[in-house]
Amino acid sequence: MRIIRTAYEMQQTVLALRAQGRRIGLVPTMGFLHAGHLSLIRLARERSDVIILSLFVNPTQFGPREDLAKYPRDFDRDAALCHAAGVDILFAPEGADLYAPDASVWVVEEKLAAGLCGAARPGHFRGVCTVVVKLFNLCLPQIAVFGEKDAQQLRVIRRLVRDLNFPVEIIPGPIIREPDGLALSSRNVFLSAEERRQALVLRRALDEAERLFRAGARDAEALRSALRLIIGQVPAAKVDYIAVVDDDTLAPVQTLDQPALVALAVYIGQTRLIDNTVLKP
Ligand code: AMP
């Protein structure tokens, strides 16, 4: 496995690989890898012959009061996991290499990014879209894999690729969970043992949404109230949002007669966790 630290070397390397006709698969991450990331590597492996995993804690997608400084990092462990998983190139650039101090061009998606995490975290998707475009230009992948765990991000990236004509196929990866249902996340490391237990309320709420839906519930507001009640019973939990939105447009829905995304963002103590499920009639 090769480790590349600069944007220039990454682009030169991939230009040579593309000239040899190689098919490049990109897995963008912020590191502190877990089994969710490893599942994305496997999906990339099935569809490409060179896998690039990018590891970059992108400062522009964090708000001023968010956890950029304390975001978990362990480069040596990540490199060992990548090596074992068959990653060909680990691209771990420095922030200063990726962003000029006077950078003035940004990529903004104006519809899908407006609600949910976009509303809760102003500027977040501007940072995400901009760094993803940079990674596409530096890694020149034919395919890129993104997890369903970040449901809004996946939809925003698909729209970005469509509207800016990127020759990149976006492959979604299913949410990987702990045996007890907690969605894997690098931020789970922040949870105390007690918070870790209380964090199961996200999965419990989504299970209840699925159960109610299967039992015939179709009123979105009633569904949100039921989820709010469940989450409200957990002392460490504070709801950031409970959204029931159209699976394509991410616009709020009143009736669940089209595929709907149920998305949660919940603080457990100081740690903000997200999870989601799609309800299909
Ligand atoms: P992150 O390192 O958290 O920015 O995530 C990098 C990629 O891994 C994103 O495409 C995420 O959606 C995906 N991802 C994170 N957690 C999971 C999970 N539990 N299951 C599947 N994919 C995940």
Side-chain angles (χ1 to χ4, degrees), residues 11-158:
Q11 206 171 42
Q12 294 305 309
T13 302
V14 84
L15 281 168
L17 289 166
R18 289 287 298 246
Q20 294 163 18
R22 308 295 286 277
R23 193 169 161 77
I24 315 290
L26 173 66
V27 182
T29 82
M30 299 206 300
F32 214 72
L33 303 179
H34 52 63
H37 299 113
L38 300 183
S39 74
L40 305 185
I41 297 172
R42 280 193 296 275
L43 287 173
R45 168 66 67 213
E46 289 164 14
R47 292 168 177 79
S48 51
D49 41 44
V50 176
I51 300 182
I52 304 174
L53 183 134
S54 63
L55 192 172
F56 181 60
V57 183
N58 175 38
T60 65
Q61 71 190 66
F62 287 80
R65 278 178 294 281
E66 293 182 1
D67 57 355
L68 172 63
K70 70 165 199 175
Y71 195 83
R73 294 164 168 88
D74 189 339
F75 181 80
D76 293 342
R77 180 172 162 276
D78 285 347
L81 285 170
C82 285
H83 181 71
V87 167
D88 298 290
I89 299 175
L90 172 55
F91 176 42
E94 299 293 332
D97 188 37
L98 232 53
Y99 289 100
D102 60 345
S104 56
V105 177
W106 302 92
V107 183
V108 177
E109 195 287 327
E110 296 187 331
K111 283 252 160 54
L112 303 177
L116 312 181
C117 286
R121 306 179 66 188
H124 171 66
F125 284 112
R126 181 181 90 140
V128 169
C129 288
T130 302
V131 83
V132 166
V133 166
K134 283 172 175 287
L135 292 171
F136 285 175
N137 285 333
L138 293 173
C139 302
L140 302 175
Q142 284 97 332
I143 68 134
V145 191
F146 289 85
E148 301 267 18
K149 160 93 182 337
D150 298 85
Q152 186 179 19
Q153 169 173 280
L154 173 62
R155 287 154 182 78
V156 168
I157 299 298
R158 280 201 175 121

Side-chain angles (χ1 to χ4, degrees), residues 193-236:
E194 178 53 29
E195 287 170 345
R196 167 71 182 70
R197 209 179 56 74
Q198 297 195 26
L200 292 176
V201 72
L202 280 89
R203 180 64 242 181
R204 246 194 348 269
L206 294 173
D207 280 344
E208 178 64 4
E210 287 166 7
R211 194 190 66 76
L212 289 168
F213 184 72
R214 276 197 307 272
R218 290 296 181 268
D219 182 70
E221 200 43 54
L223 197 69
R224 290 179 65 228
S225 301
L227 303 194
R228 194 171 292 278
L229 206 66
I230 292 172
I231 297 169
Q233 287 162 357
V234 170

